[in-house]
Amino acid sequence: MQSRRAGNVLAAFSFVLWGILPLYYQFLPQANINELLALRLIFSVPVMLLVMLLLKRPLPNVTELLADKKSFFMCGIAGCIMSVSWYAFTWAITHGEVLAASLGYFINPLFAIALGMFFLREKLTKAQVIAVVLAILGIAYQVWQYGELPWLSLLMGSFFAIYGLTKKYIKYDALTSVTIEAAILTPFAAIYMLWLYFSGDSVSLTSGTSTFLLYVGSAPVTVAPLIFFALALNRTSLTMVGLMQYIEPTLQFLLAVFLFGEVFDHTKAISFSLIWAGLIFCTLEALPNLFHKKRKVALPN
């Protein structure tokens, strides 16, 4: 029970860290997202290796990794997919679109449900069907009112869900997988940064030490919640993790409306409300299973 409680705390903490990430990126308004992504990839690898040493986890063995070619290949695919989601997310929170980021992660579980149905042949429950329908209605209402799709939100939500699906085909442990995903893309990121440096077009390398450190800092501040999340997965249930994931977009929503002063108009209120209603249905459906599992664990005592 103590392990499960620790897992719940770690999971909640990881989502809180993700939720307050927009606060960090307020120091980089209108940032060059290409450089942010490149430096995040480059410095994520040493950060992850350091974490493994601190946690006394074995460092990745190249021979063993290459023995599982499918997992290695899927790590490359996962890294590319995650980069798209992270690129959209970072652009949103550095360009006054934190509400779009919040919406993206609110609809992410619904994309995950749809992918599970189509690719893993999972059957939808009644609550999940209702949630998907309400989400479609919420997005459709925005399109009708604004005359355009909420591309940023859809990009973040869909690609993060695809990333989760891809991870199911990777047999490496969570920390190793994340390290390999970044390591595979690091050479491309390094070549890009060298090209910017020699062409004199780099923002991070020519704007002073503090700006450069803020760009580099995007690696540890985004890797930290991922580490706590990975540690939580082995200590708590996926159901609890699924319920806690709403902490992140909720905090982003509160920051956007009450701290950053983004406009939350009538259209967004109706759209968000429809999506929230669907998520409430899914949450209420999952709660009995969660409590049942807790009682089941407690019986031997």
Side-chain angles (χ1 to χ4, degrees):
M1 288 298 291
Q2 287 184 345
S3 176
R4 181 179 289 270
R5 192 175 296 112
N8 292 341
V9 172
L10 286 169
F13 188 57
S14 70
F15 288 119
V16 168
L17 290 179
W18 267 317
I20 62 175
L21 264 180
L23 292 174
Y24 179 86
Y25 286 99
Q26 293 306 301
F27 294 103
L28 289 168
Q30 306 296 314
N32 185 306
I33 310 302
N34 294 327
E35 289 187 60
L36 263 178
L37 176 59
L39 290 172
R40 178 188 181 273
L41 288 169
I42 292 168
F43 286 94
S44 287
V45 176
V47 169
M48 290 301 297
L49 293 176
L50 177 62
V51 168
M52 287 183 177
L53 288 172
L54 292 174
L55 294 175
K56 298 181 180 180
R57 300 281 184 91
L59 296 178
N61 182 292
V62 176
T63 303
E64 292 178 2
L65 293 174
L66 293 178
D68 187 351
K69 292 182 176 60
K70 181 181 178 181
S71 291
F72 191 82
F73 174 77
M74 292 307 293
C75 275
I77 299 297
C80 293
I81 292 170
M82 186 61 183
S83 293
V84 174
S85 178
W86 190 86
Y87 189 98
F89 170 71
T90 312
W91 192 95
I93 62 177
T94 55
H95 289 74
E97 295 285 349
V98 179
L99 268 178
S102 173
L103 178 61
Y105 289 118
F106 271 126
I107 60 179
N108 164 251
L110 305 176
F111 274 112
I113 289 170
L115 289 174
M117 180 181 68
F118 286 113
F119 291 96
L120 304 178
R121 297 181 181 179
E122 296 175 351
K123 293 183 179 179
L124 296 187
T125 64
K126 290 181 179 178
Q128 289 173 337
V129 171
I130 293 171
V132 171
V133 171
L134 288 173
I136 292 172
L137 290 174
I139 299 299
Y141 186 75
Q142 276 204 38
V143 174
W144 180 45
Q145 291 293 320
Y146 295 148
E148 60 180 10
L149 282 167
W151 288 111
L152 270 178
S153 302
L154 293 174
L155 202 62
M156 276 182 282
S158 61
F159 270 79
F160 196 70
I162 296 170
Y163 175 75
L165 176 66
T166 307
K167 298 284 278 187
K168 289 184 176 290
Y169 299 95
I170 298 173
K171 294 181 181 178
Y172 306 143
D173 66 82
L175 294 180
T176 299
S177 175
V178 172
T179 305
I180 301 307
E181 289 164 25
I184 290 174
L185 296 177
T186 290
F188 301 101
I191 291 170
Y192 175 72
M193 289 305 299
L194 285 172
W195 175 73
L196 286 180
Y197 175 75
F198 287 111
S199 64
D201 294 328
S202 172
V203 174
S204 63
L205 299 175
T206 58
S207 299
T209 303
S210 59
T211 299
F212 177 72
L213 290 176
L214 283 169
Y215 272 76
V216 171
S218 66
V221 299
T222 53
V223 166
L226 197 59
I227 293 166
F228 287 110
F229 180 72
L231 293 174
L233 285 178
N234 295 327
R235 294 173 172 83
T236 190
S237 67
L238 286 177
T239 303
M240 179 60 82
V241 170
L243 294 175
M244 285 187 178
Q245 70 181 337
Y246 302 123
I247 294 173
E248 176 189 355
T250 299
L251 288 174
Q252 291 168 359
F253 174 84
L254 294 174
L255 287 174
V257 176
F258 296 107
L259 186 61
F260 304 144
E262 291 188 27
V263 177
F264 186 63
D265 57 19
H266 177 76
T267 298
K268 288 179 180 175
I270 292 177
S271 179
F272 269 81
S273 296
L274 287 167
I275 294 166
W276 288 336
L279 295 175
I280 289 171
F281 275 109
C282 288
T283 302
L284 292 176
E285 182 184 60
L287 283 175
N289 294 329
L290 177 64
F291 291 127
H292 176 70
K293 287 180 182 178
K294 282 186 176 180
R295 286 196 297 269
K296 198 171 181 180
V297 171
L299 281 177
N301 296 328

